[in-house]
Amino acid sequence: MLNKKELLAPAGDMESLKAAVHAGADAVYLGGKRFGARRFSPNFSHEELKIAVDYAHLYEVKVYVTVNTMIYEREMEDAYQYAKFLSEIGVDALIVQDIGLIRLLHIHFPELELHASTQLHNYTKNNFDELARLGVKRVVLARESSLSEIESISTSLEKEVFIHGAICISYSGQCLFSSLVLGRSGNRGECAGMCRLPFTLEKADGKILKEPAYLLSPKDLCTVSKFKELMDSDIKSFKIEGRMKSATYVYLVVKIYRYLMYAYDEGKEMCISDTLMKQLKTVFHRGFTLGHLFEDKENFRNTKGPNHQGIVIGQVKSVDKKRIELLLTDDLYQEDGIRFSRNQKGMIVNFLYDRKGNLISSGKRGDTVFLDNKVSLEGKSDVVKTSSKYLDGEILNYPQKKISVDISFRARVGEVISLSVTDGVFLISVEGPRVEKAKNCATSREDIEKHLSKLGDTPYQISKLLFDIDNDGFIPMKVVNHLRQEAVLKLNEARFFRKPVKAYPFLPEKYEGKKEKNVTISCLVRTEEQLLACLNSACRIYVTNPELYFQYKEKYPQLYLRLDRGKESPDYVGERLLLTEISQLFLASKNQAVADYYLNVANHYFLSYLKSRSILCSTLSVEAKLQDIEEIPSVMDMEVIVYGNLEVMLIKNGDFLAGKYLIDRNKEKYPIFQDDEITHLFSYQKEWFSESEVLSILSTSISSIRLEFLEESSQEVKNVLKKYQEMLANFSKL
C-alpha cells in the first residue's frame, strides 16, 4: 500500500503553478492580491485565481489559497466576501493566520476546509487542540519544531511541515523586526527581511566584533538527505517554500521531492544525483541546512552573505580594465549570471570569448575563456554561477502531464453518431448527425482514428479506442473533429467542477458593549527593583520572573505572571497569568488570565473568541494604529502598550548572540536577553506615546494602557509612571 503523503508546491504566478502541476505536485498554495503573507510576489487577480483553480483541478491538483495576514476590523467583511468568492470557484482550502478570521469563516462557511498558518506558531498539542476547537482541519507546523517534537503531538488534525526553502531566524509569526523598525509588517505580508542585513555584536564585556556579519541570516532548508525519515512520520503534507521564486526553481524542487516519494513507495534507495544537486544549488540556495526539523544547530546560519550562493564554476587567472581571464571548473554558457567573490559584484555573460578573441556560446570544464570586465574587477577571485539561461530553458522545456482516457465511437448507418470519453471517473457522451450510406467511398476506421487521436493541444492521451461502425457508412471528418472537441470541452468542465460550500450571509455580530470604563495603567517588569517601584501605581503588574511572582503574589493581588513563549506551559491552577500564545488559552478557565500582544489581536471576532475562553482582558497588537483601534467595538476589556522597548524577535538556539547588544548599520543598539535555549531581541527605540496620542487612544474602547520596562532603574520607572498618571488624570477631567 502506497504511503499517502501530499507534496505541496508554491505558486507565485501562473507559470510557476503550471511548473508545479507538471513536476508532480499534489497541491499548490497561492495568494490573491489581498490578505496574503507574500504581498510582493505577483499573486493572482480574481480572474487569474479562477483560471488557476480550473487548471490545477484539470490535473487533479488541489489549490490552497493563503489568507494568512492579521486582519483589521474594517477588513472582516471584505475577507468574508473574498472567502465566498474562493469557495464559489472551488478552492480546496484556505490557509489562515488570524484567529478572528478563522472563527468568522467557521461560522459562515462551516464546510470550508481551513488550514492554520505557520504564522500562528503551531508547535504544541495544546495549540492543536485549540485550533481543532475552531474547526481547523490541518495545522502548518512552526519551522522551529523538530521532527521528534512534531511526532510527539497526538492529534486528529493533519500535520503539514516545510521541507525545503527559506526559513526565518525568528519563531514563526513572532517577528516584529521589520514592522517596528521600517513600518513594513511581516504579519501583513510586507516583511523587509531585516534578518538578512549585517550586524555587529557587543559582548557583555563591551568588546565588539570587528567585522559586520550576517548574524541573523539562516541558510535554506533542504531535507533531501533525511527525506525517508519524513516519509516514515505521521506528517500528511510536505510543503516547499517559494512563492517569490522562479518557475524553474519550483519545477526542479518539486521534481526532486516527487522522485524521492516515488523511490520510497517503490522501496528504492532515496538519493539524488550530483547533477541534480548541482542544479538545485544553481537555481537558488543560501547554503543548505537541515534546520530545526533535524536539529542542525551548528549549520543553521550563513554569516557570510544572505543572498543566493550559486555554485563555483571557475577562478580568475588574470584581469585588466578590458578583459577577465577565467579558468573554468564547470560549464559556463552565454547569458549565464555570475558573481565574483572578491568584490561581490555580478554580471550577465553577454559575450564570451576564446583565447583568440572569437565569440563562443559556451565554455566547458578545463577551458580558459575571457569575459568583458563590466564590474571593475581588479584581482584574482573565485567565480560563482548564480543563474543559467541554458538550465532554465532545459528545465522549463518539461513534458506536459497527460490524462489517459478511453474513447468509444459508434457509427451505424441510419443511426446518430455517438462518441463517449471517460477518464475513469467522468463519462462524457456526445452525439452527431445520422450516418448515411456511402455513395462512393466509405469512411475508413483508420481515418476516424486519425482524427479522434488529434489530442496534442489537450491534457489527454488515448489509452483505449473502441469502434462500433459499419463498413459502408460515410462520416465527414469535420463531424468527427467537432465531436472530439465537444467531448474534450465537456470533460474539462467535469474535471473543473467542485461543489461550492454552503455560505451563510454576512451579518454583523451582536455583542454587549461595556457601559462603563475605568481607565487603568498596567506595567510589565523584569526586576524586583522595577516591581517595587510600580506597586502603588499600577492596576496590574506583569512579572516575567516566576520566582519574583511566587515571592510576592500573596501579598500583592495585582501581580500576574507572564508566561514564556516557545516553551510548554505548566498546568497552573488558581494563578494570575499573562498568556503569550494560543497554546496557553486552555489555562484561562482555571486561572485569572490576560492575553498578551503576541497573539496579534486586531478585530472583535478574535476578542469574542478570547472572551468565550474566559480571558479577562486582551492586549491589542502593537501594529494596530489609532484608526484600527477606533474601529474595534467594546467586546471586552482591552489594553494597548504606550511605552517600552518592544520585543522584535524570538530566536531558538540563539546562543550565538551571547552578548549585550546587536548593532545595525546605523549604529543602533538592540538589547539582547538570553533565556535557556531562547534569545529575546528588543527594539533599539522605545515606544513613547505623547499625551495627545494617549488621550486619543483612551477616547476609544481601550480601558488600560501598559508600560513595559526593560533596563530602567527604579527612579526611571517612577518618572515614567508619573508622566502617564498625569495623562490619565487629564483624561478624567475631559
Side-chain angles (χ1 to χ4, degrees), residues 227-271:
F227 199 60
K228 183 179 185 303
E229 293 180 39
L230 292 172
M231 289 293 290
D232 285 338
S233 73
D234 64 349
I235 295 167
K236 168 67 176 179
S237 179
F238 300 125
K239 189 172 197 171
I240 297 165
E241 181 277 336
R243 281 198 289 141
M244 297 182 72
K245 299 291 200 316
S246 68
T248 301
Y249 174 93
V250 171
Y251 184 87
L252 181 63
V253 177
V254 172
K255 195 72 176 177
I256 286 172
Y257 283 98
R258 173 52 65 193
Y259 168 79
L260 293 174
M261 293 174 82
Y262 282 148
Y264 180 91
D265 288 338
E266 295 171 6
K268 296 180 180 178
E269 184 180 4
M270 295 176 66
C271 63

Side-chain angles (χ1 to χ4, degrees), residues 529-570:
E529 182 182 29
Q530 293 171 346
L531 168 61
L532 296 175
C534 292
L535 283 175
N536 297 321
S537 306
C539 175
R540 281 190 298 268
I541 302 174
Y542 308 122
V543 180
T544 61
N545 185 335
E547 292 182 7
L548 203 56
Y549 168 76
F550 286 109
Q551 179 183 347
Y552 284 98
K553 71 162 189 169
E554 299 298 337
K555 189 174 182 181
Y556 300 109
Q558 69 267 49
L559 257 60
Y560 283 68
L561 173 62
R562 191 197 68 176
L563 300 183
D564 290 325
R565 293 178 292 159
K567 300 178 183 178
E568 289 275 6
S569 301

Side-chain angles (χ1 to χ4, degrees), residues 176-183 194 648 664 670 683-685:
L176 294 169
F177 210 160
S178 175
S179 177
L180 294 180
V181 178
L182 295 179
M194 295 291 293
V648 298
D664 68 15
Y670 299 81
S683 175
Y684 72 88
Q685 58 188 351

Side-chain angles (χ1 to χ4, degrees), residues 5-61:
K5 306 286 189 181
E6 176 185 87
L7 185 57
L8 176 58
D13 56 25
M14 196 65 191
E15 186 182 12
S16 294
L17 180 138
K18 289 180 178 179
V21 166
H22 294 293
D26 298 301
V28 294
Y29 66 101
L30 48 84
K33 298 296 185 182
R34 294 184 68 189
F35 308 122
R38 284 292 182 270
R39 185 171 176 180
F40 301 115
S41 67
N43 295 317
F44 293 75
S45 67
H46 273 38
E47 184 57 32
E48 289 168 337
L49 280 169
K50 186 178 185 306
I51 293 170
V53 171
D54 284 350
Y55 189 89
H57 284 173
L58 186 62
Y59 292 94
E60 297 182 291
V61 173

